[in-house]
């Protein structure tokens, strides 16, 4: 219950922060409409007593009161709904923004890559759509609490024993709470199959993937898998729903027995002359309302518990994100690299796993050099890049920028001095210029800088088809869709927007380009990198499987099973007889 009260307090605080006027109007209308219901029962009893006593004037006045209260009861809730509908949308947007902020609020990416945290994000994304229901439940609960209080006062005036009738609401409330716990556990257990089903749905409905699905005739296969995974999730949710239904039914049966007993008690008093017809009408009307109040309370409690669970998950994920926050950083990134970047006894194990991905890596990346990383899939190349970008901290050892531990440099400051292009690049559906310009936000609309970045990315040919103002993406009716290679050229231009980084990371950013285009790109950039390195000592680090590109690097690092197997120039490594020579010869034979 404490979690429910905490969640309710957060919701009302959010509503108040979003729009005070709408919050006040919603609360007043909701409370007025809720209080009108027991007041209507009292007015009906008053009117009945007046009619039986033959008091015409009093009966007419009571009839007017009944009509006014009936209108208030039937319409105030509707007007309250109009008032809080927009308020609930604002509150839902606020919750979504909190989730976005939290998702991107960590310096690292651990909470995106660990399955249990990904499940939490999946549930929260689903629950954010239910936020307006939670706010409506909260406002209804405020009115309901006052209506129950007034009902209890009216009942105790008829017979003190009738005060036990609202207490009969406790069993259905208790069973309702147990039922919500059952369903909440089911949602948690089915989060993974739900996430998998949503991914499969995306695969089968995504336009860029439509061609491959048709060539390999995968539609039926993916549909079958989606059906099976969704059935698993639905089966778990259905069982929980069935169990919770039985729990709620048991509580309602207990209340139904209490309701019948209350009516019989007042009828007995009426037969003995201790109570009048008006009291019988009052109790019957109030007892019916208590039944409705209990049913409403169970439903509202379920909604409030659901939102409380969402806030609890949000708080848990916040703890995870803040727990992985970097420690105090007291050093600024250097203006230029003098020695370079050094990895000293670096080991790394992904959180939640036991096997190390990197082990005791000792490596020197000289300032002003062009460095290539090669190795078989799963060797640890991308993990090495993640450590250099600060997405993770080493499990052991140090990453030194010149002589300063990277852990002592604020990550925001470090990332302002690096640039990166990844194989899994983002297709920002912005105007073309902004799609490139986000690589350096202060210059997002700097046309000369944008054109220069596209030129260095060898993307000048794109300007024959589009302008910097061309809207991209099929999300927009007038949006232009590009090929994979064209999107990747824009991503490369984005990576090259920062003209003087200390570290440029290119993690297979040209996978959608042909080998000749990749070779020409890196050949041009190698020349530019030498000029930039003279000013900042910048290091260019790229990962590629194409040895025609790799051989241009000043230093080639061969990663095998999480360790540095070899390091040297192309000539040194190709004549060493090691893994690099083997991989180079294998690829050379493929081209001959």
């Amino acid at each position: 219950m404490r979690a429910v009260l905490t969640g309710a307090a957060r919701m009302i605080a959010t509503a108040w922060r979003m729009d005070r006027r709408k919050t006040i109007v919603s609360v007043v209308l909701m409370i007025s409409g809720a209080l009108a219901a027991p007041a209507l029962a009292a007015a009906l009893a008053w009117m009945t007593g007046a009619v039986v006593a033959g008091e015409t004037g009093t009966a007419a006045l009571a009839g007017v009161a009944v009509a006014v209260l009936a209108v208030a009861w039937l319409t105030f809730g509707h007007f309250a709904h109009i008032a809080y509908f927009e308020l609930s949308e604002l509150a839902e947007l606020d919750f979504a923004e909190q989730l976005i902020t939290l998702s991107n609020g960590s310096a690292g990416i651990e909470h995106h890559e660990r399955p249990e945290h990904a499940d939490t994000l999946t549930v929260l994304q689903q629950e954010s759509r239910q936020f307006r229901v939670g706010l409506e439940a909260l406002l209804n609960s405020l009115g309901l609490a006052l209506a129950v209080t007034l009902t209890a006062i009216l009942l105790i005036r008829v017979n003190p024993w009738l005060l036990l009738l609202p207490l009969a609401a406790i069993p259905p409330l208790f069973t309702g709470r147990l039922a919500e716990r059952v369903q909440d556990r089911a949602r948690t257990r089915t989060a993974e199959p739900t996430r998998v089903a949503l991914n499969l749905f995306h695969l089968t409905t995504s336009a860029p993937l439509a061609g491959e699905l048709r060539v390999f005739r995968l539609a039926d296969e993916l549909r079958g898998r989606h059906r099976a995974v969704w059935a698993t999730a639905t089966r778990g949710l259905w069982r929980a729903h069935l169990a919770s239904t039985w729990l709620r039914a048991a509580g309602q049966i207990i209340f139904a027995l209490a309701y019948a007993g209350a009516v019989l008690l007042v009828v007995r008093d009426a037969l003995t002359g201790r109570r009048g017809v008006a009291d019988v009408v009052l109790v019957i009307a109030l007892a019916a309302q208590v039944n409705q109040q209990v049913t409403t309370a169970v439903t509202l409690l379920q909604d409030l518990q659901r939102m409380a669970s969402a806030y609890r998950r949000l708080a848990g994920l916040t703890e995870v994100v803040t727990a992985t926050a970097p420690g105090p950083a007291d050093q600024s990134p250097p203006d230029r690299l003098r020695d370079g970047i050094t990895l000293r006894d670096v080991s790394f194990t992904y959180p939640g796993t036991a096997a190390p991905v990197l082990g005791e890596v000792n490596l020197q990346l000289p300032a002003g050099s062009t460095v290539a990383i090669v190795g078989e899939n799963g060797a640890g190349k991308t993990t090495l890049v993640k450590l250099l970008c600060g997405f993770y901290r080493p499990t052991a050892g140090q990453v030194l920028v010149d002589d300063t531990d990277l852990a002592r440099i604020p990550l925001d400051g470090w990332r302002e001095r690096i640039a990166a292009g990844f194989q899994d690049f983002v297709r920002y559906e912005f105007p073309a210029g902004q799609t490139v310009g986000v690589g350096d936000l202060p210059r997002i609309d700097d046309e000369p800088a944008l054109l220069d970045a596209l030129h260095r990315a060898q993307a000048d040919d794109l300007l024959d088809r589009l302008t910097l103002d061309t809207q991209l993406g099929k999300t927009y009716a007038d949006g232009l869709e590009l090929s994979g290679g064209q999107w990747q050229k824009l991503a490369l231009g984005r990576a090259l927007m920062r003209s003087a980084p200390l570290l440029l990371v290119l993690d297979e950013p040209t996978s959608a380009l042909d080998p000749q285009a990749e070779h020409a790109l890196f050949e041009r950039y190698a020349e530019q990198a030498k000029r930039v390195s003279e000013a900042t000592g910048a290091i260019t680090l790229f990962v590629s499987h194409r040895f025609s590109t790799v051989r241009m690097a000043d230093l080639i690092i061969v990663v095998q099973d999480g360790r540095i197997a070899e390091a040297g120039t192309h000539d040194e490594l190709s004549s060493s007889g090691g893994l690099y020579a083997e991989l180079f010869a294998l690829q050379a034979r493929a081209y001959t």
Side-chain angles (χ1 to χ4, degrees), residues 501-564:
L502 296 178
L503 175 67
L504 172 65
V505 175
L506 301 173
D507 186 3
E508 300 194 54
T510 54
S511 56
L513 304 182
D514 58 76
Q516 183 178 358
E518 181 188 88
H519 180 82
L521 174 68
F522 277 100
E523 194 172 49
R524 174 185 293 182
Y525 194 76
E527 297 175 357
Q528 297 172 349
K530 291 179 181 178
R531 291 196 296 269
V532 175
S533 66
E534 293 176 358
T536 66
I539 297 171
T540 300
L541 178 72
F542 61 91
V543 179
S544 178
H545 286 93
R546 293 170 178 168
F547 286 84
S548 59
T549 298
V550 168
R551 65 187 301 168
M552 294 186 295
D554 301 322
L555 174 66
I556 300 171
I557 299 166
V558 183
V559 182
Q560 184 178 27
D561 298 329
R563 298 180 182 275
I564 305 302

Side-chain angles (χ1 to χ4, degrees), residues 332-354:
S332 299
D335 293 329
R336 63 167 290 132
L337 290 176
R338 291 172 174 80
D339 298 326
I341 300 176
T342 304
L343 282 75
R344 182 181 297 167
D345 297 324
V346 168
S347 298
F348 180 73
T349 302
Y350 280 102
T353 64

